[in-house]
Amino acid sequence: MAYVRRRTLLAGAALGSAALLTGCSEDAGPERAERSSAAERLRRRSARDSTALLARYDATLAAHPALASRLRPLRSEVARHAAAFGDDRAAPSPGGSASDGPARDAGAPGSGPSPQGGRPSGPAVPKDERAARSALADAERRLADTRTQALLAAPPELARLLASVAAAGAVHAYLLAERAG
């Protein structure tokens, strides 16, 4: 009987070793998942979402220039997020002009005057500064929640990026909701 147990133990060890070696040599799985079509769609959607949020920041800055010192650092971070997801056109707007920059370049509605000389064509911005900050905070919060939900289906590297950007968005929402000091 001891002979059978020893053979079973050796066979189990051999199978375990083979599984371990196979697992080590089959390391291309995560890389493949990062380049899958589902991961690419999620990455593109995340870049578009960041670019749309960037357009919202630009429209708010255009409507409320007094908020510039408070919004520009957050807007700059949102531009970095868009770039991290692969939207190379997203960067802080040079000179701080709200009508040019990545949101317009990426096909998002710009916040400058329309060619007909009418009202800005960007996202609607409340006339009250506090309400405008609140609207931005809500947008940041919704996007952070969306990104947190997307973590479930994302491959490891993209999940880490989504988690980081979602956390930053939650902090942005908190900072935007704070009373002006």
Side-chain angles (χ1 to χ4, degrees):
M1 224 187 249
Y3 178 70
V4 174
R5 288 184 196 159
R6 226 179 282 155
R7 189 179 344 173
T8 304
L9 181 62
L10 288 173
L15 283 173
S17 297
L20 251 169
L21 291 174
T22 302
C24 291
S25 66
E26 195 62 37
D27 203 31
E31 287 179 22
R32 212 173 310 140
E34 293 294 333
R35 290 182 296 220
S36 72
S37 61
E40 286 305 312
R41 282 192 306 272
L42 179 55
R43 188 177 291 278
R44 282 192 305 270
R45 184 174 65 233
S46 297
R48 274 193 314 269
D49 289 347
S50 289
T51 302
L53 184 59
L54 199 56
R56 183 174 285 282
Y57 269 93
D58 287 344
T60 304
L61 282 165
H64 300 286
L67 292 175
S69 65
R70 188 171 194 155
L71 298 184
R72 282 227 164 85
L74 301 177
R75 183 212 179 275
S76 177
E77 288 300 313
V78 172
R80 285 188 190 102
H81 298 161
F85 285 118
D87 188 349
D88 296 331
R89 298 169 290 191
S93 57
S97 172
S99 62
D100 57 3
R104 183 175 295 270
D105 294 344
S111 57
S114 64
Q116 295 82 13
R119 297 183 51 147
S121 60
V125 177
K127 292 184 186 212
D128 177 57
E129 284 184 5
R130 188 174 190 164
R133 278 193 355 254
S134 180
L136 270 175
D138 288 344
E140 285 273 17
R141 200 173 297 109
R142 280 191 308 273
L143 189 51
D145 290 345
T146 298
R147 288 179 170 155
T148 301
Q149 289 292 0
L151 289 173
L152 299 173
E157 287 299 318
L158 184 53
R160 283 189 276 277
L161 179 59
L162 284 166
S164 176
V165 173
V171 170
H172 290 181
Y174 173 78
L175 292 173
L176 287 164
E178 273 187 334
R179 293 183 60 93

